[in-house]
Amino acid sequence: MRLKTFNYKWLAMFGGMLLLAQVAEAQPKEPSTLSNPLAQVMVLIMVMLALAIALLGNVVNNAADLFRTKLRKARAEKNSGNAATVILLLGAGLLASITGNAQAAADAAATAAPAVDNSINGLSPFTFYMMVSVIAVEIIILVVLVYQLKFLVGIESKKVTAATVDAVAAPKVSWWDKINKSAKIEEEAAIDLSHDYDGISELDNKLPPWWIAAFALTILFSVVYLYRYHVSHTAPLQIEELQIAMKQAEEEKAAYLAKTSSNVDENSVVMLDAGAIASGKSLFAANCIACHGTAGEGNAVGPNLTDNYWIHGGDIKDVFKSIKYGWVEKGMRSWKEDFSPMQMAQLASYVKSLKGTNPPNAKEPQGELYDENQAAGATSVTDSTAAAAPAK
């Protein structure tokens, strides 16, 4: 089939050439359009394009045979087998028309008056545009054939590539290898540094990507930290954080004491610090000196508060109880409506701090002797007994 198509094309080309020779011989003495250099160049281009179409048609036809499909085979044979014939017949007709037009133009020039020259470089507009149209059709046919050839070759290339990929499947890479990018065992020879330590070889492995990324993040963090803490001072340093925390703790402590001061009673009161004693001294000077003297030495009504003798007990709890409830029958009023529990605790602590001050004009002792050490020992013995009782 391919041999028949090939012979047909070349026979058509040969017939076209004979037709050109006959036309040229029929008008030997009259000037021909083919004598125009532009026409000669355009005819040469048409012939060369026709030859290219014939050769490319054969290539496309051979490529189409590889796929054994009727549609592609029929399309390739039709395009490649008749393209050169159509182009050559068009060229033959065009050349015959060119020769006839040249003869008619010569006759008209001999009999008619001179007219306006509408030619294009010596060619009539009809002849020029006909030749341009033939060249354009040839170029379109060439483009179509090249596209078909590219399409067929692309299909075959995809098949070959797919077969190659299936034959040699790419090895799977685990996520651990991706984040480390360490060399495989079979590739270690290329990065061996020839340093052997008791059978352990040193390799020139690159740093893992995750390590490089972490190192870059630490550098970025250090720049931000340096700017914020030591340049712009928008965040406190460690010593400043400690000072802020200590100040906050003091404020929380004061708030807690202020909140819990109302819970102090004769059972929970304890000896307070020097600041609370100073507050108790102010309360004593404003409310108690009329009965107990300015220094607690006592007078006609109140007893001496600086010795070791107490009428109603000398413990801090006993003193707080006397201030809170009073001893009306002995002239000691109750102060619980005038003082807060914390103020009474401050006043009791100040009274306890007067022991042993020995002010002048002190009143004689009243009540029973109270020994601080003996009272503390008795409390300790009682607590020890209470703690040892369950063990029996």
Side-chain angles (χ1 to χ4, degrees):
M1 186 66 182
R2 293 195 301 272
L3 182 60
K4 182 179 179 181
T5 302
F6 177 79
N7 292 337
Y8 177 75
K9 288 186 299 182
W10 286 104
L11 286 175
M13 293 174 61
F14 182 74
M17 292 179 181
L18 289 178
L19 182 59
L20 292 176
Q22 291 176 359
V23 171
E25 186 179 1
Q27 303 292 337
K29 296 180 180 181
E30 298 296 334
S32 175
T33 304
L34 293 177
S35 62
N36 189 302
L38 177 62
Q40 293 175 359
V41 172
M42 298 181 74
V43 170
L44 180 61
I45 293 174
M46 287 189 292
V47 173
M48 294 178 65
L49 288 175
L51 292 175
I53 290 172
L55 294 175
L56 187 59
N58 278 331
V59 175
V60 173
N61 191 21
N62 292 333
D65 287 343
L66 296 176
F67 298 95
R68 303 297 182 186
T69 58
K70 293 182 179 180
L71 181 60
R72 294 172 181 167
K73 184 177 180 181
R75 186 182 301 171
E77 289 178 355
K78 182 177 179 180
N79 291 336
S80 62
N82 298 330
T85 303
V86 172
I87 298 303
L88 290 178
L89 290 177
L90 286 175
L94 176 61
L95 292 178
S97 176
I98 292 171
T99 306
N101 290 336
Q103 181 63 33
D107 295 340
T111 59
V116 180
D117 187 9
N118 294 326
S119 63
I120 301 175
N121 290 332
L123 295 176
S124 65
F126 175 78
T127 302
F128 177 78
Y129 289 117
M130 178 61 73
M131 298 178 75
V132 170
S133 300
V134 172
I135 292 175
V137 171
E138 289 179 328
I139 293 175
I140 293 173
I141 294 175
L142 274 175
V143 171
V144 172
L145 290 175
V146 170
Y147 176 78
Q148 288 183 347
L149 180 61
K150 182 179 179 181
F151 175 75
L152 296 175
V153 173
I155 293 177
E156 185 66 20
S157 299
K158 290 181 180 179
K159 290 182 179 180
V160 173
T161 303
T164 304
V165 171
D166 293 339
V168 184
K172 294 183 179 180
V173 181
S174 64
W175 64 270
W176 180 256
D177 294 333
K178 289 181 179 178
I179 64 174
N180 285 284
K181 284 190 176 181
S182 56
K184 298 179 180 179
I185 297 178
E186 55 272 14
E187 299 174 354
E188 289 183 353
I191 59 174
D192 193 346
L193 296 178
S194 301
H195 294 167
D196 186 88
Y197 303 93
D198 296 333
I200 301 175
S201 299
E202 181 182 359
L203 304 179
D204 188 19
N205 273 317
K206 295 182 179 179
L207 292 173
W210 63 265
W211 193 96
I212 297 176
F215 182 68
L217 288 177
T218 57
I219 296 175
L220 179 62
F221 176 81
S222 65
V223 173
V224 175
Y225 181 91
L226 179 65
Y227 176 80
R228 184 175 184 186
Y229 285 88
H230 297 279
V231 179
S232 64
H233 299 286
T234 56
L237 297 174
Q238 291 183 349
I239 187 64
E240 296 173 344
E241 289 181 351
L242 176 61
Q243 294 172 355
I244 293 173
M246 293 297 294
K247 182 178 179 181
Q248 183 179 359
E250 292 293 335
E251 293 175 353
E252 292 178 353
K253 178 182 178 181
Y256 174 77
L257 293 177
K259 182 178 180 181
T260 58
S261 61
S262 59
N263 297 328
V264 179
D265 58 11
E266 59 274 17
N267 297 316
S268 60
V269 66
V270 294
M271 191 69 181
L272 302 181
D273 55 13
I277 292 174
S279 299
K281 181 179 181 180
S282 300
L283 293 173
F284 186 89
N287 300 276
C288 304
I289 60 176
C291 297
H292 296 281
T294 57
E297 69 277 10
N299 54 27
V301 179
N304 182 7
L305 301 178
T306 63
D307 56 18
N308 294 328
Y309 289 85
W310 295 87
I311 300 174
H312 301 290
D315 186 67
I316 185 67
K317 294 180 174 60
D318 297 328
V319 176
F320 182 92
K321 184 177 179 181
S322 298
I323 296 171
K324 182 177 181 180
Y325 299 106
W327 300 97
V328 181
E329 67 277 9
K330 295 182 180 181
M332 177 65 180
R333 58 166 292 193
S334 171
W335 294 93
K336 64 180 180 181
E337 301 297 335
D338 300 279
F339 299 149
S340 67
M342 179 54 67
Q343 288 176 322
M344 290 187 289
Q346 293 171 351
L347 186 57
S349 297
Y350 173 70
V351 171
K352 288 291 296 180
S353 69
L354 295 176
K355 176 187 175 183
T357 56
N358 298 319
N361 302 319
K363 192 177 182 178
E364 68 278 2
Q366 293 176 285
E368 297 180 359
L369 178 65
Y370 177 79
D371 188 354
E372 295 279 355
N373 297 328
Q374 184 178 1
T379 303
S380 176
V381 170
T382 302
D383 293 342
S384 300
T385 304
K392 293 181 180 179

